[in-house]
Amino acid sequence: MSTSQQPDPRDRPARLTVGVVGAGRVGPALAASLQLAGHRPVAVSAVSDASRRRAAQLLPDVPLVPPAEVLARADLVLLTVPDDTLPGLVAGLAETGAVRPGQLLVHTSGRYGVKVLDPALRAGALPLALHPAMTFTGAPVDVQRLAGCSFGVTAPEELRLAAEALVIEMGGEPEWIAEERRPLYHAALALGANHLVTLVAQSMELLREAGVEAPDRMLGPLLGAALDNALRSGDAALTGPVARGDAGTVAAHVEELRKHAPQTVAGYLAMARATADRALAHGLLKPELAEDLLGVLATGTDGIDGTEGDAR
């Protein structure tokens, strides 16, 4: 659904009081975004000093109260806690009678759909799963980044339009994810975004080791172009020594990494194998060059005789 396709006014959520349980990086940003849309944050629960600071920065003058009190005050409650904490939190809130009939209960976990909210559903709550496909910093810029951000939406069919309308009010793009597909959806996002941060951080460390004074400046244009090419062209954007079948170059890489950053070797080999498989499947890596390359990737530098392209 595009933001240009506004929901029918009858499906637009009424102005709601909003509560946040778990003032990590996500909850305060979403509540602040809902506030811009006309809803009213009324309560936040926060435990750590960092979460209290985030709440104060993004939701000034909103009182900090225990989770049960958040539910007592709010029509719409955002459960923005770690994935592994969510089932126990929901069960505890339901068991203690904190959940009110007709209350919108929204979690932001990518892993779970709405079944994790079943204890609250039995208590009369209206369950929604709204996961923003965005990385959060805990700073005010997060609210701006929600503009155009895709949300993985899962909800009972009768609440689908209300869920999508809330996402649109936050500036997001709703993307419907079936309940049984949530773990796969979340794994895909983690593979792309979380692992990217690790790869970039490792690359910057290695560039510094190689004497580059500003690795961020060097990598910025390169990675920006690579990301753009990948999003536009998929596997056709593959390039570099693995896609070309330069076994000797890859062997030299592995040897240097073993000397200067042995902790990166396993990751380099794993990504190189995946790249080789995709390049071979899409006709980018010539089969006659693949044997030596795959030999290098299977054994690291073991058995390399130093001859360019003759890795066995």
Side-chain angles (χ1 to χ4, degrees):
M1 178 181 292
S2 168
T3 53
S4 62
Q5 297 175 297
Q6 294 298 323
D8 188 296
R10 292 170 296 179
D11 300 318
R12 180 185 175 92
R15 302 304 87 188
L16 301 168
T17 53
V18 178
V20 179
V21 175
R25 297 180 179 183
V26 178
L30 297 188
S33 182
L34 288 168
Q35 185 174 36
L36 292 175
H39 301 288
R40 184 165 62 91
V42 294
V44 180
S45 74
V47 177
S48 69
D49 290 340
S51 63
R52 289 172 178 270
R53 286 194 297 270
R54 278 191 291 269
Q57 184 178 30
L58 288 168
L59 301 170
D61 302 321
V62 175
L64 295 173
V65 299
E69 184 64 22
V70 173
L71 271 70
R73 298 187 185 194
D75 303 315
L76 166 63
V77 179
L78 301 172
L79 303 179
T80 51
V81 297
D83 289 359
D84 288 351
T85 303
L86 182 61
L89 172 66
V90 175
L93 292 172
E95 288 171 4
T96 57
V99 179
R100 294 186 283 110
Q103 189 169 48
L104 283 165
L105 212 57
V106 179
H107 78 70
T108 59
S109 166
R111 170 185 172 187
Y112 293 110
V114 292
K115 287 190 181 300
V116 72
L117 298 174
D118 276 354
L121 174 64
R122 291 191 289 270
L126 305 177
L128 305 175
L130 307 179
H131 174 254
M134 177 55 63
T135 182
F136 289 81
T137 65
V141 69
D142 293 339
V143 180
Q144 302 169 23
R145 287 177 174 169
L146 289 173
C149 166
S150 291
F151 278 67
V153 177
T154 305
E157 189 61 35
E158 62 271 20
L159 295 176
R160 178 168 178 163
L161 291 177
E164 292 176 343
L166 282 171
V167 170
I168 289 171
E169 286 194 323
M170 288 186 281
E173 297 274 359
E175 185 72 38
W176 190 255
I177 308 295
E179 177 80 24
E180 66 275 12
R181 296 293 186 180
R182 293 288 292 205
L184 178 61
Y185 152 80
H186 195 225
L189 294 179
L191 183 66
N194 301 155
H195 296 174
L196 175 64
V197 174
T198 300
L199 291 172
V200 173
Q202 287 183 340
S203 180
M204 288 199 295
E205 289 174 354
L206 292 170
L207 286 171
R208 290 191 189 97
E209 178 73 13
V212 175
E213 293 185 0
D216 53 342
R217 188 168 67 236
M218 177 176 284
L219 285 175
L222 173 64
L223 297 183
L227 177 60
D228 184 63
N229 290 342
L231 293 175
R232 291 174 183 271
S233 305
D235 288 301
L238 284 172
T239 185
V242 173
R244 291 192 298 268
D246 292 342
T249 298
V250 172
H253 288 178
V254 175
E255 185 176 359
E256 285 300 299
L257 292 177
R258 288 195 191 283
K259 291 178 182 177
H260 299 284
Q263 72 280 5
T264 68
V265 172
Y268 179 95
L269 290 173
M271 289 303 300
R273 289 186 195 106
T275 300
D277 288 343
R278 300 187 75 90
L280 193 58
H282 288 81
L284 301 173
L285 174 59
K286 296 178 181 179
E288 59 268 25
L289 297 176
E291 183 180 355
D292 283 353
L293 175 66
L294 294 176
V296 170
L297 298 180
T299 62
T301 54
D302 292 344
I304 303 301
D305 65 5
T307 304
E308 189 76 11
D310 188 23
R312 302 192 186 280

